[in-house]
Amino acid sequence: MPTPSMEDYIEQIYMLIESKGYARVSDIAEALEVHPSSVTKMVQKLDKDEYLNYEKYRGLVLTPQGKKIGKRLVYRHELLEQFLTLIGVNKENIYHDVEGIEHHLSWNSIDRIGDLVQYLENSPSAVEELKHLHKESDDS
């Protein structure tokens, strides 16, 4: 199992490859706001743990396991953003909140949140009721 730090790297690498077709150390460093030397160390660890294949000066490619985990991590992040949006969390807080909680939830919890998001999306009246509750608490 990858550590939370490894998850951040795998997620970012997956997103870069999906959007650009490749992920360079400099792109990863910029996206995660870390030094390139830190990225190189982590990429070497991810290579050793078989989440990706890395050749110095040639780039990196996620292994099938790395792709599977990367896809699941992106799903988790997007689901939590969607959930917090649906329940009325202020937009400016969502990214920071997701970053704070995503590594602390079990996959069972993530799946249940997915069920709840699906329910809320199929129940506009429930979402409106939540909005009404927010308004009442804001007015108090």
Side-chain angles (χ1 to χ4, degrees):
M1 278 308 286
T3 65
S5 180
M6 292 166 75
E7 285 183 347
D8 286 339
Y9 278 84
I10 294 169
E11 180 181 6
Q12 192 59 55
I13 292 165
Y14 180 86
M15 290 188 315
L16 284 165
I17 291 172
E18 286 295 302
S19 67
K20 297 173 78 169
Y22 59 90
R24 298 179 309 201
V25 167
S26 58
D27 298 325
I28 300 163
E30 183 180 329
L32 294 175
E33 299 178 351
V34 296
H35 292 287
S37 59
S38 299
V39 174
T40 300
K41 285 180 193 167
M42 180 59 80
V43 164
Q44 289 168 342
K45 179 164 180 38
L46 292 170
D47 180 56
K48 184 176 141 299
D49 292 349
E50 299 182 355
Y51 294 111
L52 57 80
N53 294 316
Y54 174 67
E55 289 182 43
K56 197 171 184 178
Y57 308 116
R58 297 197 43 102
L60 53 96
V61 179
L62 289 170
T63 63
Q65 176 186 7
K67 280 183 191 172
K68 181 180 176 185
I69 291 171
K71 186 175 185 175
R72 184 102 164 123
L73 295 172
V74 169
Y75 163 78
R76 176 181 71 185
H77 191 101
E78 290 172 351
L79 176 69
L80 290 171
E81 284 185 355
Q82 189 178 8
F83 174 66
L84 294 179
T85 300
L86 276 170
I87 63 171
V89 173
N90 294 335
K91 195 172 222 137
E92 62 271 10
N93 296 337
I94 290 176
Y95 180 81
H96 184 264
D97 288 352
V98 168
E99 287 297 311
I101 64 173
E102 67 183 340
H103 300 295
H104 301 285
L105 294 173
S106 69
W107 285 105
N108 180 250
S109 294
I110 295 296
D111 291 340
R112 298 300 66 80
I113 290 170
D115 294 342
L116 183 56
V117 165
Q118 189 174 5
Y119 168 77
L120 290 172
E121 287 183 332
N122 293 326
S123 307
S125 60
V127 174
E128 285 305 312
E129 199 172 319
L130 268 175
K131 287 180 184 174
H132 181 72
L133 289 172
H134 292 303
K135 186 162 177 37
E136 283 180 2
S137 67
D138 290 344
D139 292 341
S140 319

